């Protein structure tokens, strides 16, 4: 049993955080058109990761985020190894998914995972540092500033690191496509993050109300 309602909050936020991070890795190999540019559809779950990162930052501090980031990176790596062995085992004749189809989908995910682990740890380190830098100067005020501000900077690095390792270095994208795609993905992330800012305040309200019942 959890010792307090705050422990329960951490487990729930961690579950949401980890689930969305791993789903992003698994679907990240699919590229979609966004106007004249292309973007990995793996970007879609990341705004949820932003929100949970900020809430964990707020209630559990730098140690809480760093610990969860390392655990998540380890689980992403675990996913990588499971996919690697799964692709080595051939499909049976009655399988609706052939060995080639399975490899075409999840083989690209492996490159995404390698890039994402690097980008994920780098961006989380930047995010938590900026978040607490701003919080020390604003106190409990201006939640939107520390949340959005940390996202603006950390996700710039995240967008280009993951695309560079997963798509540019293997030759899937040329340099121009890499830059345009990075800027497109970054812009989409920021727009979604800004639009979801009210959810940060809602999350604060619900957590405060839930914890208050416990008196911890």
């Amino acid at each position: 049993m959890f010792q307090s309602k705050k422990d329960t909050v951490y487990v729930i936020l961690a579950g949401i955080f980890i689930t969305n991070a791993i789903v992003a890795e698994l679907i990240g190999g699919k590229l979609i058109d966004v106007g004249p540019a292309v973007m990995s559809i793996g970007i879609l779950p990341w705004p949820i990761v932003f929100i949970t990162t900020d809430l964990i930052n707020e209630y559990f501090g730098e140690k809480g985020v760093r610990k969860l980031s390392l655990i998540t990176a380890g689980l992403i790596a675990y996913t990588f190894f499971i996919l690697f062995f799964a692709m080595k085992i051939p499909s049976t004749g009655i399988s609706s998914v052939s060995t080639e189809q399975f490899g075409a989908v999840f083989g690209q995910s492996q490159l995404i995972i390698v890039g994402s682990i690097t980008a994920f740890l780098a961006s989380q380190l930047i995010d938590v540092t900026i978040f607490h830098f701003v919080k020390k100067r604003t106190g409990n005020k201006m939640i939107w500033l520390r949340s959005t501000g940390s996202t603006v900077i950390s996700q710039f690095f995240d967008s280009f690191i993951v695309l560079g390792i997963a798509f540019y270095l293997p030759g899937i994208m040329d340099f121009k496509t890499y830059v345009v795609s990075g800027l497109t993905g970054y812009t989409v992330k920021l727009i979604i993050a800004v639009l979801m800012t009210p959810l940060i305040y809602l999350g604060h309200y619900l957590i405060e109300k839930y914890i208050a019942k416990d008196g911890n």
Side-chain angles (χ1 to χ4, degrees), residues 17-18 20-22 25 46 49-50 52-53 65-76 112-127 154-155 157-159 161-162 165:
F17 182 99
I18 292 169
N20 281 276
I22 293 180
E25 312 305 337
W46 281 109
V49 178
F50 304 158
T52 50
T53 296
V65 175
R66 292 178 193 275
K67 182 186 295 184
L68 183 56
S69 296
L70 291 174
I71 291 172
T72 303
L75 291 173
I76 292 173
I112 294 289
I113 288 172
V114 172
S116 287
I117 290 176
T118 305
F120 174 76
L121 290 175
S123 63
Q124 286 297 100
L125 177 63
I126 294 169
D127 189 286
S154 66
Q155 291 312 303
F157 290 94
D158 180 89
S159 298
I161 292 174
V162 67
I165 294 176

Side-chain angles (χ1 to χ4, degrees), residues 9 11 27 29 31-33 46 59 61 66 98 100-101 103 106 109 128 138 150-151 154 163 166 186-187 200 203 206:
V9 169
V11 171
I27 68 175
L31 299 176
I32 60 174
D33 292 316
W46 281 109
Y59 290 96
R66 292 178 193 275
S98 68
E100 292 72 22
Q101 290 171 328
F106 292 111
S109 292
V128 70
T138 60
S150 59
T151 298
S154 66
L163 277 179
Y186 175 63
T187 302
I200 296 288
L206 293 175

